[in-house]
Amino acid sequence: MTLKPLALLPDPILRAKSDPIERVDEDVRKLADDMLETMYDAPGIGLAAIQVGIPRRMLVIDCSKEEEEDAPLVFINPQIVASSDDRSAYEEGCLSIPDYYAEVERPAYVTVDYLDREGKQRQIEAEGLLATCLQHEIDHLNGVLFIDHISRLKQNMVIKKFTKLAKSRGGTRI
Ligand code: GNR
Ligand code: NI
């Protein structure tokens, strides 16, 4: 397994729209394993392939609690097929925008169709943190970041801060 460098705001790759995966093969499973390793190392509870610079529609999630066993989930070509009118608010963060958190309101319940790591078609009905995380990750596949859901003023502040940091660091990958 291999740790992959993370793309940070304002890396333009984070605005790319990812392409569907045509075949779930060994390369795709290897990428899933590398993404899970990178996510656990960070640590984070989700990671989209675009965050490691790969524009493919795939994400990994582990929303298990710290005292519980790891529960890695792999979602390939995920699609939200239903979402509730009921909303819930979470303090969100993003591995591509380290140490910045803001409250985001989203549908509380979503139904997601996807392929698992064996290429089998599946459906999940998610609520709570998993529902929020799935929506956050699926946004990444469409070039959308959680800061797109907050006030323009806060957006401008965080973009300015991370643009300065990238200049001092000399890049947007870590
Ligand atoms: O680690 C993460 N935590 C998190 C917390 C609240 C809502 C969404 C997330 S996802 C984030 C990891 C990440 O950036 N995934 O794209
Ligand atoms: Ni994120």
Side-chain angles (χ1 to χ4, degrees):
M1 300 222 274
T2 321
L3 286 178
K4 293 193 170 290
L6 284 167
L8 302 185
L9 191 72
D11 195 316
I13 192 99
L14 293 170
R15 295 309 189 174
K17 192 168 154 67
S18 296
D19 297 318
I21 290 176
E22 309 233 324
R23 220 165 59 88
V24 180
D25 54 17
E26 277 311 312
D27 283 359
V28 169
R29 280 187 279 274
K30 166 82 166 74
L31 174 57
D33 289 340
D34 290 348
M35 285 169 58
L36 282 164
E37 191 188 12
T38 303
M39 178 187 79
Y40 286 125
D41 180 73
I45 60 169
L47 187 73
I50 198 67
Q51 292 178 277
V52 292
I54 299 170
R56 305 181 78 181
R57 300 189 81 80
M58 170 162 152
L59 53 97
V60 297
I61 290 180
D62 188 337
C63 282
S64 63
K65 303 201 181 82
E66 261 186 58
E67 68 274 16
E68 294 172 350
E69 238 178 275
D70 284 355
L73 296 172
V74 177
F75 296 86
I76 295 162
N77 298 341
Q79 264 190 306
I80 297 172
V81 294
S83 51
S84 63
D85 293 332
D86 221 29
R87 309 222 144 214
S88 82
Y90 268 95
E91 183 96 335
E92 296 196 18
C94 183
L95 294 175
S96 297
I97 314 173
D99 304 315
Y100 181 76
Y101 303 90
E103 187 155 290
V104 177
E105 212 182 85
R106 302 180 185 268
Y109 303 88
V110 289
T111 306
V112 174
D113 281 357
Y114 65 100
L115 302 177
D116 69 12
R117 54 177 297 140
E118 257 62 61
K120 188 172 151 51
Q121 183 78 49
R122 293 193 179 271
Q123 185 174 81
I124 189 170
E125 284 180 27
E127 59 174 27
L129 184 58
L130 179 59
T132 289
C133 195
L134 272 166
Q135 292 172 80
H136 174 117
E137 303 309 337
I138 292 170
D139 268 357
H140 274 302
L141 306 185
N142 297 319
V144 174
L145 299 171
F146 83 95
I147 56 167
D148 300 347
H149 300 291
I150 65 178
S151 80
R152 213 36 192 274
L153 183 72
K154 287 184 187 170
Q155 270 176 46
N156 289 340
M157 275 174 15
V158 68
I159 291 167
K160 206 166 143 184
K161 182 180 159 200
F162 277 83
T163 303
K164 271 192 190 157
L165 275 172
K167 287 207 173 93
S168 70
R169 196 194 303 113
T172 54
R173 306 284 170 99
I174 53 160

